[in-house]
Amino acid sequence: MLPKLLKEQRWSRFLLVAGGLLVAVAMTVGASRTAIPASGRLSSGLDRLGRFDFFERGQSLPRGSRSDDPSGPPTPGTGPAPTADGQPEGPFPQLAEVLDFERMVEKRPGRVPVEVHGLYLTGYIAGQTEKVNLLLKALDGTSFNAFVIDVKNDSGRISYRSDVPLTKAAGAGTDWIQEPGAYLAHLRDEGIYTIARIVVFKDPALARVRPDLAVQSQDGGPWRDRTGATWLDPYRREVWDYAVALAQEAARKGFREIQFDYVRFPSDGETGKTIYSDAEGSRAETIGRFLKYAYEHLQPYDVYLSADIFGLVGTVTDDMGIGQRLEDILGTVDYISPMVYPSHYSARNYGLEDPESRPYETVLAGLRDYQRRMELAPSLTKIRPWLQDFSLRVHYGEAEVEGQIKAARELGVNEFILWNPGNVYNTAVFREVSRPSQPSAESPVSGEVR
């Protein structure tokens, strides 16, 4: 079981760190050569949903109604201030680096694959300990094993007090999760795999204080979608670095996977009036480059990377004007999470008169298209869909959610995440799926995406 495995991992980490400290002290006291190169090798070895957002995310509505300086990898900084030649003062200058390595090891669980059967939590709900414990109690003994938790939502708010400078400038931090490190450690001890959801390009909070980073309008000033929300310019490298810095911080706090959402160009509103900064490449190439850039900058943290994409990405051959083209995304992330919500498909998609009322058939057809395309463009990227557990025009209860899970499993897709913006779920569906076994620490894991 995972708690036992983590205990063993902690013991090995303790021995590793203790050994590193002993080596560093021995080299300092007993050797004429500096120990800094050795310690260097040691460390380097290592809310709102708008009216039109239902197209990307399901919004629970009444039944019968319908609305159409970024932080990098851990670095030395625990020891005394450096001298003029750049070397730390004190009798054991290399200990600063070793101690920093200790903190890094403690907070990096490593890339251990988990067959995810998960749920989404807003940052606010995640911070409500009693509600989360009740949910865990209801799910005890089932196949449930993962939470996707908002780190940055689509209003640009951060679920805790971030140290990333731009979050402070934007006033984006909250106290929803007051001690994220301890919180994530508790979930890890409970055997829960934690995924940090970071909304990337939709960000009214940062655009308000940094309008120069926003998508611009031909009418002047930042462009706004139909909900009045502003978006960040996907061509701007500073925007990329902001998302990456938040992801790196989330990894340091203990999240085991980073999931980018709204990793696209805007679609709702007068998009013909948008103005973007000068840049080379198509929209699809830009999204692909961003994901590759993020993956490379997250490698030192041993976390997985996933991206949420529209359900139709697996069926259409263009990028739908939003920059999401399947072949440009495959190989840039570990997982793609298509939002194959039946309520989001138009009449006669996949030959179905009303996809929303046919959850099993819709998910089966949508995921089958993904598999066909992915067979033609082989990569190590795996598929883990978002499934619908909310109601729009058609009420979705246990049977409708189970139908989607059944469709995925028939195609060999055994991982899934349920979405409900109000975090109210049909938890009984998890009883129908056998609990996946946790892998051992020795399980082979690929360190690269191709």
Side-chain angles (χ1 to χ4, degrees):
M1 297 298 291
L2 184 57
K4 181 179 179 181
L5 174 62
L6 289 170
K7 183 177 180 181
E8 294 169 353
Q9 288 176 327
R10 290 197 189 103
W11 178 244
S12 5
R13 288 173 185 164
F14 169 79
L15 293 177
L16 180 60
V17 172
L21 288 169
L22 289 173
V23 169
V25 172
M27 292 185 70
T28 303
V29 175
S32 58
R33 295 178 299 181
T34 175
I36 292 178
S39 61
R41 288 193 298 273
L42 183 64
S43 57
S44 66
L46 301 176
D47 256 72
R48 250 167 56 184
L49 287 166
R51 181 183 173 203
F52 288 84
D53 275 343
F54 74 87
F55 184 62
E56 177 143 15
R57 287 300 185 190
Q59 182 174 7
S60 293
L61 300 175
R63 290 184 60 183
S65 67
R66 175 119 182 179
S67 69
D68 274 332
D69 144 86
S71 56
T75 54
T78 56
T83 58
D85 63 0
Q87 298 300 321
E89 293 179 342
F92 308 113
Q94 70 283 357
L95 288 184
E97 200 164 346
V98 175
L99 289 173
D100 189 73
F101 166 69
E102 178 181 12
R103 289 200 310 275
M104 185 166 58
V105 167
E106 180 62 26
K107 297 182 179 180
R108 287 172 57 195
R111 284 169 55 96
V112 179
V114 171
E115 185 179 286
V116 166
H117 298 167
L119 299 172
Y120 159 73
L121 294 181
T122 66
Y124 175 77
I125 292 296
Q128 305 297 305
T129 306
E130 291 184 3
K131 292 183 179 180
V132 173
N133 286 338
L134 285 174
L135 186 57
L136 290 175
K137 184 176 180 180
L139 292 164
D140 186 38
T142 72
S143 70
F144 166 80
N145 64 354
F147 277 136
V148 177
I149 300 173
D150 275 345
V151 164
K152 175 170 170 275
N153 65 19
D154 63 344
S155 67
R157 302 300 300 277
I158 312 299
S159 296
Y160 47 76
R161 294 295 172 183
S162 170
D163 291 325
V164 176
L166 280 179
T167 66
K168 297 179 179 180
T174 71
D175 291 320
W176 293 335
I177 302 176
Q178 296 188 2
E179 297 182 8
Y183 178 82
L184 294 169
H186 168 68
L187 290 179
R188 189 164 64 245
D189 289 343
E190 292 293 322
I192 305 302
Y193 183 81
T194 51
I195 304 172
R197 175 179 177 253
I198 297 177
V199 171
V200 181
F201 296 121
K202 185 178 182 181
D203 192 337
L206 183 57
R208 183 176 59 252
V209 297
R210 288 292 306 274
D212 58 304
L213 297 178
V215 176
Q216 301 299 308
S217 171
Q218 292 177 0
D219 297 330
W223 178 87
R224 296 180 182 275
D225 64 20
R226 286 179 181 166
T227 69
T230 45
W231 290 62
L232 302 177
D233 187 342
Y235 287 108
R236 295 291 298 269
R237 184 58 60 89
E238 192 171 355
V239 172
W240 293 15
D241 287 337
Y242 179 48
V244 168
L246 288 170
Q248 291 171 331
E249 182 180 61
R252 289 196 298 271
K253 290 184 181 298
F255 280 101
R256 300 178 63 185
E257 180 175 325
I258 305 300
Q259 181 190 88
F260 287 134
D261 201 357
Y262 287 79
V263 58
R264 64 177 180 87
F265 286 70
S267 62
D268 304 321
E270 297 182 279
T271 55
K273 291 187 175 182
T274 54
I275 300 175
Y276 297 94
S277 57
D278 294 334
E280 295 181 359
S282 68
R283 293 185 179 188
E285 290 170 339
T286 299
I287 296 302
R289 283 200 301 266
F290 162 70
L291 291 173
K292 185 174 184 296
Y293 178 85
Y295 184 85
E296 291 171 348
H297 283 75
L298 286 168
Q299 279 209 324
Y301 298 88
D302 289 343
V303 290
Y304 287 101
L305 178 62
S306 56
D308 296 340
I309 56 180
F310 279 180
L312 279 172
V313 169
T315 300
V316 301
T317 55
D318 62 8
D319 73 344
M320 297 183 289
I322 61 172
Q324 289 185 351
R325 181 175 177 271
L326 184 59
E327 286 74 15
D328 288 288
I329 295 174
L330 294 177
T332 65
V333 293
D334 296 295
Y335 298 93
I336 52 171
S337 289
M339 297 171 280
V340 288
Y341 310 137
S343 63
H344 288 21
Y345 292 90
S346 301
R348 290 175 292 283
N349 276 159
Y350 305 124
L352 300 172
E353 187 64 30
D354 182 13
E356 187 174 4
S357 64
R358 305 282 293 277
Y360 166 80
E361 292 85 355
T362 303
V363 171
L364 188 71
L367 292 182
R368 185 182 288 129
D369 279 355
Y370 272 96
Q371 290 183 328
R372 289 169 179 165
R373 292 270 293 279
M374 293 172 75
E375 287 176 2
L376 296 175
S379 73
L380 296 180
T381 300
K382 298 180 180 179
I383 188 167
R384 181 202 292 146
W386 279 101
L387 302 180
Q388 177 172 340
D389 194 1
F390 57 88
S391 299
L392 289 177
R393 181 173 53 83
V394 176
H395 174 67
Y396 267 55
E398 184 177 333
E400 288 74 16
V401 179
E402 285 180 348
Q404 298 171 79
I405 296 172
K406 179 176 183 289
R409 295 187 72 196
E410 287 182 3
L411 295 173
V413 179
N414 295 318
E415 299 190 55
F416 64 89
I417 317 167
L418 301 185
W419 173 272
N420 183 304
N423 296 171
V424 178
Y425 295 98
N426 288 287
T427 55
V429 300
F430 289 97
R431 299 192 182 98
E432 302 301 321
V433 188
S434 59
R435 177 175 285 276
S437 60
Q438 297 290 349
S440 67
E442 290 76 26
S443 297
V445 179
S446 173
E448 296 183 2
V449 171
R450 292 184 178 84

PDB file of all heavy atoms in Angstrom, residues 181-193:
ATOM      1  N   GLY A 181       1.994  22.605   2.075  1.00  0.00           N
ATOM      2  CA  GLY A 181       2.952  21.518   2.229  1.00  0.00           C
ATOM      3  C   GLY A 181       2.434  20.442   3.166  1.00  0.00           C
ATOM      4  O   GLY A 181       2.454  19.244   2.852  1.00  0.00           O
ATOM      5  N   ALA A 182       1.951  20.853   4.342  1.00  0.00           N
ATOM      6  CA  ALA A 182       1.416  19.905   5.318  1.00  0.00           C
ATOM      7  C   ALA A 182       0.139  19.258   4.788  1.00  0.00           C
ATOM      8  O   ALA A 182      -0.102  18.062   5.001  1.00  0.00           O
ATOM      9  CB  ALA A 182       1.145  20.609   6.644  1.00  0.00           C
ATOM     10  N   TYR A 183      -0.665  20.037   4.098  1.00  0.00           N
ATOM     11  CA  TYR A 183      -1.916  19.532   3.540  1.00  0.00           C
ATOM     12  C   TYR A 183      -1.646  18.416   2.538  1.00  0.00           C
ATOM     13  O   TYR A 183      -2.269  17.352   2.576  1.00  0.00           O
ATOM     14  CB  TYR A 183      -2.653  20.692   2.876  1.00  0.00           C
ATOM     15  CG  TYR A 183      -3.954  20.331   2.203  1.00  0.00           C
ATOM     16  CD1 TYR A 183      -5.124  20.218   2.945  1.00  0.00           C
ATOM     17  CD2 TYR A 183      -4.020  20.124   0.832  1.00  0.00           C
ATOM     18  CE1 TYR A 183      -6.327  19.905   2.341  1.00  0.00           C
ATOM     19  CE2 TYR A 183      -5.222  19.803   0.219  1.00  0.00           C
ATOM     20  CZ  TYR A 183      -6.375  19.698   0.980  1.00  0.00           C
ATOM     21  OH  TYR A 183      -7.551  19.378   0.363  1.00  0.00           O
ATOM     22  N   LEU A 184      -0.711  18.643   1.626  1.00  0.00           N
ATOM     23  CA  LEU A 184      -0.386  17.641   0.618  1.00  0.00           C
ATOM     24  C   LEU A 184       0.281  16.416   1.231  1.00  0.00           C
ATOM     25  O   LEU A 184       0.062  15.288   0.774  1.00  0.00           O
ATOM     26  CB  LEU A 184       0.505  18.257  -0.457  1.00  0.00           C
ATOM     27  CG  LEU A 184      -0.171  19.345  -1.306  1.00  0.00           C
ATOM     28  CD1 LEU A 184       0.859  20.081  -2.153  1.00  0.00           C
ATOM     29  CD2 LEU A 184      -1.255  18.745  -2.186  1.00  0.00           C
ATOM     30  N   ALA A 185       1.075  16.627   2.275  1.00  0.00           N
ATOM     31  CA  ALA A 185       1.694  15.486   2.963  1.00  0.00           C
ATOM     32  C   ALA A 185       0.623  14.602   3.596  1.00  0.00           C
ATOM     33  O   ALA A 185       0.725  13.369   3.574  1.00  0.00           O
ATOM     34  CB  ALA A 185       2.677  15.978   4.021  1.00  0.00           C
ATOM     35  N   HIS A 186      -0.415  15.243   4.147  1.00  0.00           N
ATOM     36  CA  HIS A 186      -1.515  14.477   4.741  1.00  0.00           C
ATOM     37  C   HIS A 186      -2.226  13.636   3.682  1.00  0.00           C
ATOM     38  O   HIS A 186      -2.500  12.452   3.899  1.00  0.00           O
ATOM     39  CB  HIS A 186      -2.506  15.422   5.410  1.00  0.00           C
ATOM     40  CG  HIS A 186      -3.798  14.774   5.799  1.00  0.00           C
ATOM     41  ND1 HIS A 186      -3.899  13.834   6.788  1.00  0.00           N
ATOM     42  CD2 HIS A 186      -5.062  14.930   5.290  1.00  0.00           C
ATOM     43  CE1 HIS A 186      -5.160  13.429   6.895  1.00  0.00           C
ATOM     44  NE2 HIS A 186      -5.888  14.069   5.995  1.00  0.00           N
ATOM     45  N   LEU A 187      -2.512  14.250   2.525  1.00  0.00           N
ATOM     46  CA  LEU A 187      -3.179  13.498   1.463  1.00  0.00           C
ATOM     47  C   LEU A 187      -2.291  12.365   0.957  1.00  0.00           C
ATOM     48  O   LEU A 187      -2.771  11.269   0.654  1.00  0.00           O
ATOM     49  CB  LEU A 187      -3.549  14.436   0.314  1.00  0.00           C
ATOM     50  CG  LEU A 187      -4.662  15.446   0.595  1.00  0.00           C
ATOM     51  CD1 LEU A 187      -4.899  16.327  -0.620  1.00  0.00           C
ATOM     52  CD2 LEU A 187      -5.955  14.738   1.000  1.00  0.00           C
ATOM     53  N   ARG A 188      -0.997  12.628   0.881  1.00  0.00           N
ATOM     54  CA  ARG A 188      -0.059  11.587   0.443  1.00  0.00           C
ATOM     55  C   ARG A 188      -0.067  10.417   1.426  1.00  0.00           C
ATOM     56  O   ARG A 188      -0.056   9.248   1.018  1.00  0.00           O
ATOM     57  CB  ARG A 188       1.340  12.178   0.310  1.00  0.00           C
ATOM     58  CG  ARG A 188       2.342  11.242  -0.346  1.00  0.00           C
ATOM     59  CD  ARG A 188       3.585  11.995  -0.798  1.00  0.00           C
ATOM     60  NE  ARG A 188       4.328  12.575   0.301  1.00  0.00           N
ATOM     61  CZ  ARG A 188       4.481  13.883   0.495  1.00  0.00           C
ATOM     62  NH1 ARG A 188       3.931  14.749  -0.324  1.00  0.00           N
ATOM     63  NH2 ARG A 188       5.189  14.335   1.509  1.00  0.00           N
ATOM     64  N   ASP A 189      -0.128  10.721   2.714  1.00  0.00           N
ATOM     65  CA  ASP A 189      -0.188   9.663   3.718  1.00  0.00           C
ATOM     66  C   ASP A 189      -1.489   8.873   3.628  1.00  0.00           C
ATOM     67  O   ASP A 189      -1.540   7.701   4.030  1.00  0.00           O
ATOM     68  CB  ASP A 189      -0.039  10.253   5.123  1.00  0.00           C
ATOM     69  CG  ASP A 189       1.377  10.744   5.393  1.00  0.00           C
ATOM     70  OD1 ASP A 189       2.295  10.334   4.643  1.00  0.00           O
ATOM     71  OD2 ASP A 189       1.570  11.541   6.330  1.00  0.00           O
ATOM     72  N   GLU A 190      -2.529   9.501   3.113  1.00  0.00           N
ATOM     73  CA  GLU A 190      -3.810   8.827   2.933  1.00  0.00           C
ATOM     74  C   GLU A 190      -3.841   8.022   1.634  1.00  0.00           C
ATOM     75  O   GLU A 190      -4.859   7.395   1.314  1.00  0.00           O
ATOM     76  CB  GLU A 190      -4.951   9.851   2.924  1.00  0.00           C
ATOM     77  CG  GLU A 190      -5.203  10.535   4.250  1.00  0.00           C
ATOM     78  CD  GLU A 190      -5.738   9.571   5.296  1.00  0.00           C
ATOM     79  OE1 GLU A 190      -6.542   8.686   4.934  1.00  0.00           O
ATOM     80  OE2 GLU A 190      -5.358   9.703   6.472  1.00  0.00           O
ATOM     81  N   GLY A 191      -2.748   8.049   0.893  1.00  0.00           N
ATOM     82  CA  GLY A 191      -2.692   7.316  -0.359  1.00  0.00           C
ATOM     83  C   GLY A 191      -3.298   8.049  -1.533  1.00  0.00           C
ATOM     84  O   GLY A 191      -3.663   7.437  -2.538  1.00  0.00           O
ATOM     85  N   ILE A 192      -3.413   9.380  -1.426  1.00  0.00           N
ATOM     86  CA  ILE A 192      -4.055  10.179  -2.476  1.00  0.00           C
ATOM     87  C   ILE A 192      -2.998  10.828  -3.362  1.00  0.00           C
ATOM     88  O   ILE A 192      -2.085  11.505  -2.873  1.00  0.00           O
ATOM     89  CB  ILE A 192      -4.960  11.267  -1.869  1.00  0.00           C
ATOM     90  CG1 ILE A 192      -5.983  10.644  -0.924  1.00  0.00           C
ATOM     91  CG2 ILE A 192      -5.656  12.060  -2.978  1.00  0.00           C
ATOM     92  CD1 ILE A 192      -6.873   9.605  -1.558  1.00  0.00           C
ATOM     93  N   TYR A 193      -3.132  10.620  -4.649  1.00  0.00           N
ATOM     94  CA  TYR A 193      -2.274  11.242  -5.667  1.00  0.00           C
ATOM     95  C   TYR A 193      -2.823  12.641  -5.938  1.00  0.00           C
ATOM     96  O   TYR A 193      -4.016  12.823  -6.175  1.00  0.00           O
ATOM     97  CB  TYR A 193      -2.343  10.379  -6.922  1.00  0.00           C
ATOM     98  CG  TYR A 193      -1.476  10.812  -8.085  1.00  0.00           C
ATOM     99  CD1 TYR A 193      -0.129  10.496  -8.131  1.00  0.00           C
ATOM    100  CD2 TYR A 193      -2.041  11.481  -9.174  1.00  0.00           C
ATOM    101  CE1 TYR A 193       0.658  10.847  -9.223  1.00  0.00           C
ATOM    102  CE2 TYR A 193      -1.268  11.837 -10.272  1.00  0.00           C
ATOM    103  CZ  TYR A 193       0.074  11.524 -10.294  1.00  0.00           C
ATOM    104  OH  TYR A 193       0.847  11.862 -11.374  1.00  0.00           O
TER     105      TYR A 193
END
